[in-house]
Amino acid sequence: MDGITRRRALGLGGAAVVGGAGTLAAADGAEAAGGWKRLVVVTANIGRKNPGQRERAIRDVRHAVRIDGRLTKPLVGWQEIGEGDGDNREPRWINQYFGTAYRNIFEYDDSAHRVPMSIPRAYDILDRRETFVHGGKAGVSPHRVITEAVLARADDPKVRFVFVNTHYVAGAFNGKQDSYEAWRDDMWRRHFRKHRDDVLGHWRARGFPVIWTGDVNRSPMPLLLPNYEKRAFRRGIDQIGWVPGTNGTQLRLRWTKTVPMYVDGHDARVAVMQVRRA
């Protein structure tokens, strides 16, 4: 399909895939109306099963969405960066392909390097922190943390929200029994509580809306805040969720897509959202 117009894209429900992988033509007429600004969010687990495809996967995440023929700059939460390969190439590839248009954070952090973020320069980073979840267990799981960044639009600093990224323990609630099953389940529940109370609850109490990405290793995953939270995808372990705040910044979802990764059983998942100051 070539040359889909905005009018035609609206007739197709707001989005249509055209051409090769990672190209999207979309009628996002509200980009200019009502103060809404486009915000593309990606969750991307690089995985371990096919390391020869890692560079391609990182590059394809950078090229995840084109709208009206233009490459967008997604906000990315990464998982499994530098986990188990030992060659330290993944952080370098992230910096190579995301480059000067981005601030890449946590990718060399001693504790949080497995779950870094790529933040486009359309957003200023006002603060960052990491929340420790558990210390892991040798031969079973690495330690887990939750990374957090307070962001403000550079062109409208009152538009502020928190971006969160994480990776839950693997193997919990998967129906398979081993000698560490109880530990896995306990650590998953601990992670859920930390995510809900110490991260979402912490920032919402300060008025911030929160967008989170992560590999939650459970499908379906219960809502963290059932009265408030929304998810971009109903099922699957790679998730994007968000909750409203009270600081006047509003979020809404427009559409979703996936980007093949070819590295593991994960595809990158994309939420094309909008943000504005009410």
Side-chain angles (χ1 to χ4, degrees), residues 12-92:
L12 292 172
V17 177
V18 297
T23 304
L24 188 73
D28 194 357
E31 175 73 2
W36 289 104
K37 300 291 186 178
R38 186 180 299 117
L39 173 59
V40 180
V41 181
V42 180
T43 187
N45 186 320
I46 294 300
R48 300 274 67 87
K49 292 183 179 177
N50 192 0
Q53 293 293 328
R54 292 173 297 159
E55 182 179 6
R56 173 186 177 180
I58 290 167
R59 181 195 64 214
D60 287 352
V61 169
R62 176 63 188 90
H63 294 83
V65 177
R66 287 184 182 271
I67 294 179
D68 293 338
R70 298 180 63 183
L71 186 66
T72 64
K73 294 182 177 68
L75 178 63
V76 184
W78 304 93
Q79 302 92 43
E80 291 199 42
I81 298 302
E83 187 171 324
D85 50 60
D87 60 13
N88 206 35
R89 292 182 179 179
E90 292 162 19
R92 286 191 282 122

Side-chain angles (χ1 to χ4, degrees), residues 58 81 87-99 104 107-108:
I58 290 167
I81 298 302
D87 60 13
N88 206 35
R89 292 182 179 179
E90 292 162 19
R92 286 191 282 122
W93 284 326
I94 289 172
N95 283 291
Q96 174 185 341
Y97 286 103
F98 285 75
N104 300 306
E107 77 273 33
Y108 292 112

Side-chain angles (χ1 to χ4, degrees), residues 23 69 78 104 106 135 140 155 208 222 257 261 263:
T23 304
W78 304 93
N104 300 306
F106 299 112
V140 181
D155 61 357
F208 290 97
K257 65 173 291 187
M261 298 278 274
V263 179

Side-chain angles (χ1 to χ4, degrees), residues 205-223:
R206 288 155 178 78
F208 290 97
V210 182
I211 301 172
W212 68 268
T213 57
D215 176 355
V216 299
N217 274 313
R218 185 176 181 181
S219 179
M221 177 190 178
L223 290 171

Side-chain angles (χ1 to χ4, degrees), residues 259-270:
V259 176
M261 298 278 274
Y262 307 107
V263 179
D264 207 335
H266 299 267
D267 287 335
R269 298 183 111 177
V270 181

Side-chain angles (χ1 to χ4, degrees), residues 150-199:
V150 181
L151 305 181
R153 278 197 65 93
D155 61 357
D156 189 354
K158 290 185 179 180
V159 175
R160 298 184 178 192
F161 61 90
V162 177
F163 183 50
V164 168
N165 183 42
T166 196
H167 188 181
Y168 281 57
V169 64
F173 305 105
N174 63 4
K176 299 178 182 179
Q177 297 295 319
D178 63 25
S179 57
Y180 300 109
E181 186 72 12
W183 182 86
R184 294 176 194 272
D185 291 354
D186 285 347
M187 293 306 102
W188 196 97
R189 293 188 185 99
R190 178 184 295 184
H191 203 137
F192 186 90
R193 291 192 300 269
K194 289 274 188 176
H195 193 176
R196 179 191 65 199
D197 300 336
D198 297 353
V199 177

